[in-house]
Amino acid sequence: MSLHEEIVANLSGYSKAMYSTWFFYRPARILLDAGEGVSSSMENFVFGIEKVFLSHGHYDHIGGLPGLLQSRRSARGDKEKPLEVYYPDGDELIGLQRQYIESLTYRLGYDLTWHPVEPGQRVPLGTGRDRGYVVPFRARHGGRFTSLGFNVMEERKRLKARYAGLPESEIAVLARSVPREELSEVYEKVILAYSGDTMPIDPAVVQDAEVLMHEATFLAAGDR
């Protein structure tokens, strides 16, 4: 199975414009948006979620959040497992949703933390083993609030360009005679890019992403 096939196989979710959008990416334990139906569809798999990333505050992307939070305190699973919610800094609609949730769920039984984020801010993933990190990027959805997309990223190693074309036998000889850091370099790889439902995005932001989830069907403004 190729890398992009493996990524897609580990994605589950639903998207119908104006009604509900949400996607769970299992290896990173993250939920991308939280539209209606997420808790009823995922059932006890809601306990697999460690972080929720909200692209913007429209109802079809946040309407399922109250039900998700309630499910995690009443379904069969680890009811004390903490949950973190990341959202665009300054999004007033999400702020109102947060107030509504906090007025209903003051006794959750687990730690719920809210994190406003900005484009370029790195959010580490995983506990116990490295699952990479998420980097928000700016998207446009209309209106006056910031909309975010999210790149799920990993740090990887590769041969430096000057060695990449050498035969394997020569690389093996070099590996015994030069320091490892001389042969290889660390680079950032976009595993999964999620833009939400947005106006055209800058293709450079998702350059070389293994999988791109772009709800709109265009990258150029003229194609809109």
Side-chain angles (χ1 to χ4, degrees), residues 72-86:
R72 283 174 59 99
R73 78 172 183 177
S74 59
R76 295 178 180 176
D78 184 357
K79 296 182 177 63
E80 296 182 355
K81 186 176 183 179
L83 185 67
E84 298 177 271
V85 179
Y86 295 82

Side-chain angles (χ1 to χ4, degrees), residues 27-41:
R29 311 291 195 269
I30 61 174
L31 184 70
L32 299 165
D33 281 326
E36 275 190 356
V38 57
S39 57
S40 59
S41 296

Side-chain angles (χ1 to χ4, degrees), residues 45-59:
F45 286 105
V46 295
F47 293 101
I49 303 168
E50 294 179 358
K51 292 178 171 61
V52 179
F53 291 88
L54 303 176
S55 62
H56 62 287
H58 285 169
Y59 182 80

Side-chain angles (χ1 to χ4, degrees), residues 62 64-67 69-70 94-106 108 112 114:
I62 67 172
L65 193 56
L69 301 181
Q70 291 289 344
I94 295 177
L96 291 172
Q97 177 76 303
R98 176 178 177 178
Q99 292 177 24
Y100 168 71
I101 288 170
E102 289 177 342
S103 69
L104 294 178
T105 57
Y106 59 96
L108 279 176
L112 172 66
W114 300 78

